[in-house]
Amino acid sequence: MLSGLMMRVFRLLLGVAIGYLLFLCCWLWIYIDAFAFRLYAKDKKRFDRSSQLPADRGLARSVRLVFIRHGESTWNDTFNRSKMPHKFAWRLLYSAVYETMLLATASKEQESWFLDSPLSQFGLGQAEALQSFLRKTAANPADPLSDDCKMLLGLDPHVRSTVVVSNLRRAISTCMVGLWDRLQKGSEKAIVHSSLQEISKNPDTLAIARAGEVPKPSWLDRLHTDTKFADQMSKVLDPSCNMGSKPMDLTGQQRLLDFAAWASDPAADRGTVICVGHSFWFREFCREFMPKSVEHDIKTKKLTNCGVVMLTLLVDESSGKPEYCVDPNSLKTVYGGYTK
């Protein structure tokens, strides 16, 4: 009896595996550029650099950065949850069927569960929780994080800040929902910046939106009725820094350097730069610019979904060219924390 049940389970899992492999072959044929990126891209190639704290910190410029990680994506929903065989097989089957439906019903707008994966329904809920936290904390003067949350929501007229977001859909949606109280005013736009695109060769890190375009809301974004942010994206997003998806010959390290230069440009006077982006990008940023001798969770772990951390980037130009260093004493967790 037991052996018969195990055999049926085995056949079921085998059928799912074969079906998924067939689906994967078809998907890779359709998205051949994603397959080529996986094989040949230099995104994770890096050269060792030695970031050190300036000898005289008083002579260094500084810029305050805020890192906000996106909520759970559909890719995370499929691959980052329980690895129990029966649960993982079901998620693979579900996502493959859903992707097939999206491909079959797509018209002028490209949709995908895997490519440039959007926020899942759970991820949208996480962004709503961030929105609620910021709103409540900012309204409570007794809370030690109240001033930080006011700054994030643009409620302090004496503190200048700029919102910048990755060109990937899950980051865009997190920005729209989490910072909705700020963006809905219409007095400013969040800048879509390609340098914030996630560092990885996986297809979920490839952007659908082309250079100069505002990313389109996903089918799940359109179902979000609490804020109806999908209708406002073209009004509150500035795509002037969206150079399209990362090219195969550009390294993630170069994007880190490009963004550090952009964020710390004294002529732009951006104030505190609020970055909505991705866990690996944030981790690599701190690995790149924090002294190697310093140990911290932000260098070895991922920021939790919708987690918020603040830090100071020092800019030392005493050598004639800018050198960047994250001050390890400036790190401050505002919301969430770190996870493996």
Side-chain angles (χ1 to χ4, degrees), residues 110-172:
Q110 188 176 7
E111 276 290 10
S112 177
W113 183 280
F114 301 109
L115 189 71
D116 194 355
S117 59
L119 280 189
S120 65
Q121 290 183 328
F122 185 71
L124 284 164
Q126 291 174 321
E128 289 175 345
L130 172 61
Q131 178 194 103
S132 178
F133 169 81
L134 295 176
R135 182 183 298 159
K136 291 179 180 178
T137 307
N140 181 12
D143 195 303
L145 296 174
S146 179
D147 289 343
D148 295 326
C149 292
K150 285 181 180 178
M151 180 274 297
L152 288 169
L153 295 180
L155 298 177
D156 189 341
H158 304 294
V159 179
R160 179 168 173 74
S161 59
T162 303
V163 179
V164 59
V165 59
S166 160
N167 57 344
L168 295 176
R169 294 188 295 175
R170 55 191 179 277
I172 296 284

Side-chain angles (χ1 to χ4, degrees), residues 293-331:
S293 59
V294 176
E295 296 182 0
H296 195 281
D297 283 345
I298 201 169
K299 296 172 71 174
T300 58
K301 297 181 179 180
K302 297 192 296 185
L303 193 61
T304 56
N305 288 126
C306 291
V308 182
V309 65
M310 305 177 73
L311 54 88
T312 297
L313 181 69
L314 301 174
V315 187
D316 183 7
E317 297 177 308
S318 58
S319 64
K321 65 177 183 178
E323 294 289 338
Y324 307 101
C325 183
V326 171
D327 184 349
N329 296 321
S330 67
L331 285 156

Side-chain angles (χ1 to χ4, degrees), residues 212-232:
E213 287 185 351
V214 172
K216 300 289 194 303
S218 73
W219 76 99
L220 291 168
D221 292 340
R222 296 188 188 97
L223 296 176
H224 192 269
T225 57
D226 289 351
T227 59
K228 296 183 179 179
F229 71 89
D231 299 331
Q232 304 298 317

Side-chain angles (χ1 to χ4, degrees), residues 84 87 101 106 113 145 179 197 221 250-251 256 277 301:
M84 292 292 290
K87 293 183 178 180
M101 292 172 56
W113 183 280
L145 296 174
L179 301 180
Q197 193 173 348
D221 292 340
L250 181 67
T251 65
L256 297 176
K301 297 181 179 180

